[in-house]
Amino acid sequence: MRRRTLLLTGVAGGLTAAGSRPASAAPRHHVLHVRPGGSVQAAVDAVDGPGWTVVVHPGTYREVVNIPAHKAGLTLRGATHDPRDAVIVYDNASGTKKPDGTTYGTAGSATFTSAAPGLTVRCLTLANDWLRADHPEITGTQAVAAYLTGDRSSFENVRLLAHQDTLFVDTSALDVFDRQYFRHCYIEGDVDFVFGRATAVFEQCHFRTLDRDVDFTPKGMVFAPSTARANPYGILAVRCRITSGAEDGAYKLARPWVPSYETTAWPSLVVRETRIGPGIDAVAPYTNMREAYPWQTMRFAEYRNSGPGAAIRVPENRPQLTRAQARSHTRETYLGDWRPYA
């Protein structure tokens, strides 16, 4: 991903409220508008209760945005239907040093972070444009576009752009099964670029692997789930497509992530009714992150996928759901009583 031409923004200016009333009365319309010269974070900070919408007008907003847990029920959306028009971007990596000399770590590198339950994001681009080539001195190369916790987080028509660890779908605690839903989103990256322990459903999304400039394969993996053992549902991709900017067979579909802080994790991934392009290795689509946790012992399965990357060339390398098993792996079963798609 090439570094974009960016418009620097500040906190002052560019923030307006619609339908505001005196402080003693509730606003008629809970809407804040952010325009170039303003700050998305300043708008989030100004939200004082549930039901607010922050509208981000066309422009590039170079800042880190953090939505805390108490900002429940917030909607953040672009002012147009094209997510390319409004871009929130920054360039921290896991190994980037903070002012105090410590490093950000994977989650801390995120351009966009939310712990708020009931979050809705639409028609925006969230990006991390940190590049390995620009920082050969940094070994912690994870650079997250979005780090999400909190139940009932919904993303529609959103672009998520980075390289390693683009989208971190996490939960608010090890024993909590937060649910996240992505529809009509575009997600690109190279190494483990959709990862984490949330119950995360991707419907009609487009995953694209980048042409990483390395002389080895695999160049990376699309998914790296770290689902808690007690959680029956991990990552589900349904009616999606997977394309690549790299050569055929250069990428793996997934590998399991068993974190050192949660060694009882039992990663779960189901990819169904998805078109998988030739960029995915059809002979051996899965690999290990650590030999102590082989992918064959994890909850990995596919169902009725198509495309050259979905060809079943070595059956034992591509676990398939039966029709009866597939009935347990739908957006309805994963999301339960939450209906963001209704």
Side-chain angles (χ1 to χ4, degrees):
M1 180 176 65
R2 293 182 179 177
R3 190 176 301 278
R4 294 170 178 78
T5 301
L6 303 168
L7 300 174
L8 296 179
T9 62
V11 173
L15 179 62
T16 59
S20 60
R21 290 184 176 182
S24 60
R28 231 182 0 253
H29 302 292
H30 301 295
V31 179
L32 288 170
H33 292 267
V34 183
R35 294 178 172 84
S39 164
V40 178
Q41 185 64 57
V44 170
D45 293 344
V47 168
D48 60 2
W52 281 83
T53 295
V54 174
V55 179
V56 183
H57 287 259
T60 299
Y61 301 82
R62 178 163 283 278
E63 60 178 317
V64 172
V65 174
N66 183 13
I67 303 175
H70 67 273
K71 305 282 185 176
L74 177 67
T75 294
L76 184 67
R77 66 174 178 85
T80 74
H81 292 294
D82 190 339
R84 295 172 296 184
D85 289 343
V87 178
I88 302 172
V89 61
Y90 209 72
D91 62 347
N92 284 329
S94 175
T96 301
K97 286 189 176 181
K98 300 179 184 178
D100 64 4
T102 64
T103 57
Y104 283 97
T106 299
S109 73
T111 297
F112 180 88
T113 298
S114 175
L119 173 73
T120 299
V121 180
R122 297 192 184 104
C123 305
L124 286 172
T125 292
L126 306 177
N128 189 320
D129 63 355
W130 186 90
L131 297 175
R132 300 180 185 97
D134 292 346
H135 302 278
E137 77 284 0
I138 294 179
T139 57
T141 58
Q142 299 89 346
V144 177
Y147 172 56
L148 309 174
T149 62
D151 193 33
R152 295 174 290 108
S153 297
S154 175
F155 287 68
E156 184 169 5
N157 193 27
V158 173
R159 298 166 75 233
L160 295 133
L161 313 178
H163 285 258
Q164 184 172 354
D165 291 7
T166 302
L167 175 60
F168 194 168
V169 290
D170 203 7
T171 65
S172 51
L174 294 178
D175 58 352
V176 173
F177 307 151
D178 293 330
R179 296 162 295 177
Q180 300 168 8
Y181 178 66
F182 302 82
R183 179 180 171 87
H184 295 152
C185 292
Y186 173 86
I187 307 158
E188 73 175 24
D190 48 41
V191 179
D192 302 333
F193 64 93
V194 178
F195 72 111
R197 67 170 177 262
T199 297
V201 175
F202 297 85
E203 187 172 26
Q204 299 181 61
C205 291
H206 180 186
F207 305 94
R208 183 163 180 82
T209 63
L210 297 171
D211 188 11
R212 187 179 175 195
D213 186 19
V214 294
D215 57 3
F216 56 79
T217 57
K219 292 186 172 183
M221 308 81 195
V222 180
F223 301 102
S226 59
T227 321
R229 182 168 293 272
N231 190 352
Y233 306 120
I235 294 175
L236 170 68
V238 56
R239 295 191 297 278
C240 296
R241 61 186 175 121
I242 301 172
T243 64
S244 181
E247 66 270 24
D248 291 358
Y251 276 83
K252 301 292 187 182
L253 186 59
R255 64 179 179 175
W257 176 33
V258 178
S260 58
Y261 56 81
E262 192 184 10
T263 58
T264 61
W266 192 20
S268 174
L269 168 71
V270 171
V271 179
R272 59 176 297 171
E273 297 153 318
T274 289
R275 178 165 181 81
I276 303 176
I280 300 299
D281 180 0
V283 174
Y286 305 104
T287 188
N288 299 333
M289 186 175 292
R290 299 182 183 89
E291 294 305 314
Y293 305 104
W295 73 263
Q296 293 90 342
T297 64
M298 304 301 169
R299 295 176 286 176
F300 284 7
E302 301 177 54
Y303 182 69
R304 297 184 65 181
N305 293 324
S306 62
I312 302 175
R313 298 181 183 173
V314 181
E316 58 267 33
N317 286 348
R318 303 207 82 136
Q320 302 291 310
L321 296 175
T322 66
R323 181 179 297 180
Q325 290 171 332
R327 296 191 191 105
S328 298
H329 296 278
T330 66
R331 67 181 184 186
E332 291 81 5
T333 55
Y334 277 51
L335 300 182
D337 61 357
W338 179 43
R339 296 285 188 273
Y341 45 83

